[in-house]
């Protein structure tokens, strides 16, 4: 028979300094035990925030943490959770991020959507057909990871399946942000992967930007394509559509959106000045930044790559091939590879032959 824990048992555990993490999986929790666990979580978060007021300098932590195996199940518990102080706080934060996206011109009409994971099988999301600049906390919806709506007066966004595909495949993704920022979306429409090794902050905080093939927005096929790309990339360009980013909390995931569009805008402006022959950092310098990224807890699939591969922007700059650099010091205009005159000559020759044949 399964062990049953009551509210009093939970309180006794907490008094003994054990914490709710010590409750083994599979025990049955009475409603009072669940309340005690929820209250302990709230207290812990409040304490961790107020401890900031002491002497230790720190950074704000907006990550939502829950106790695994304790999602509310009954309609009453779900309703209470949906209106709890902590979830209300998140709803306000979503409205704030929505307004920031709209003010920066990242969303037009009813475009864009936001999600925050709040349980093993619970996600808070924005509703469908709403301007992101003018949302109210009471507009938000609560859904499960299959997209079934559990609470909220307004119908959930149709694109939530894509967000959930990311959360299912990448457990570190606790919040997602989707928008159509013009500069990054221009890369998505041109089908050009933004190059790397141009701006250090982008290497550290964004990493390499991923690409997902075009699928109809909101469909399971789109969810599969984006979910796959998001395993390795915190920002993904959806071809002919827009951008989706993920992070440990909604602020973090929104920052990735700003980083992505600002980076794409800068690269676009630089190419207007000088074509695609832009200055880059070296592979060695990129490696240092990727190590720094790892020290901040962000995985990077490029950690094991060879230095010469790190800045190989061959898609952005055709004709550039990956070569081990010779000599020391920052190399500019190399893009992690060097322009291969022979290869370019062959491409030119083949193109000319094809054109001649077509004309004749
Ligand atoms: Zn969209």
């Amino acid at each position: 028979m399964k062990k049953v824990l009551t509210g009093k048992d939970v309180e006794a555990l907490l008094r003994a300094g054990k914490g709710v993490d010590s409750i083994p999986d599979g025990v049955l929790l009475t409603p009072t035990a669940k309340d005690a666990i929820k209250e302990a979580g709230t207290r812990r978060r409040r304490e961790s925030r107020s401890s900031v007021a002491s002497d230790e300098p720190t950074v704000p932590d907006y990550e939502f943490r829950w106790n695994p195996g304790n999602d509310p199940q009954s309609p009453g518990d779900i309703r209470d959770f949906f209106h709890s102080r902590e979830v209300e706080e998140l709803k306000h934060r979503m409205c704030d991020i929505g307004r920031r996206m709209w003010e920066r011109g990242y969303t037009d009409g009813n475009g864009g959507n936001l999600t925050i994971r709040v349980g093993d099988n619970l996600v808070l999301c924005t509703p469908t057909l709403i301007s992101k600049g003018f949302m109210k906390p009471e507009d938000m919806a609560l859904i499960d990871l299959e997209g079934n709506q559990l609470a909220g007066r307004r119908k959930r966004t149709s694109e939530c399946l894509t967000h959930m595909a990311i959360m299912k495949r990448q457990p570190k993704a606790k919040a997602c942000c989707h928008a159509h920022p013009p500069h990054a979306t221009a890369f998505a429409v041109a089908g050009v992967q933004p190059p790397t090794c141009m701006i250090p902050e982008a290497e550290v905080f964004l990493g390499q930007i991923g690409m997902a093939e075009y699928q109809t927005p909101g469909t399971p096929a789109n969810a599969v394509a984006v979910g796959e790309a998001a395993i390795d990339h915190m920002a993904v360009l959806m071809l002919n559509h827009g951008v989706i980013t993920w992070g440990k909390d909604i602020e973090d995931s929104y920052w990735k959106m700003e980083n992505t569009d600002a980076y794409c805008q800068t690269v676009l402006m630089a190419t207007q000045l000088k074509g695609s022959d832009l200055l880059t950092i070296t592979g060695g310098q990129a490696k240092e930044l990727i190590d720094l990224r790892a020290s901040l807890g962000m995985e990077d699939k490029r950690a094991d790559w060879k230095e010469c591969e790190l800045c190989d922007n061959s898609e952005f700059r055709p004709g550039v091939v990956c070569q081990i650099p010779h000599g020391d010091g920052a190399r500019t205009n190399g893009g992690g590879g060097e322009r291969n005159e022979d290869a370019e000559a062959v491409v030119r020759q083949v193109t000319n032959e094809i054109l001649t044949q077509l004309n004749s």
Side-chain angles (χ1 to χ4, degrees), residues 111-113 159 178-180 217 238 241-242:
N113 30 69
E159 285 185 292
H178 165 55
H180 312 139
M238 298 190 265
H241 180 175

Side-chain angles (χ1 to χ4, degrees), residues 63-110:
E63 187 174 341
F64 187 89
R65 296 180 180 83
W66 64 89
N67 297 310
N70 285 294
D71 281 0
Q73 302 293 338
S74 70
D77 283 352
I78 289 171
R79 198 174 46 242
D80 289 351
F81 174 71
F82 186 58
H83 295 291
S84 65
R85 207 169 55 92
E86 290 176 293
V87 172
E88 291 297 331
E89 224 174 84
L90 296 180
K91 292 177 191 169
H92 277 95
R93 197 159 292 143
M94 288 166 94
C95 296
D96 177 50
I97 299 285
R99 184 183 46 76
R100 287 156 70 183
M101 289 206 299
W102 183 82
E103 283 177 351
R104 288 191 74 109
Y106 292 173
T107 62
D108 49 297
N110 64 302

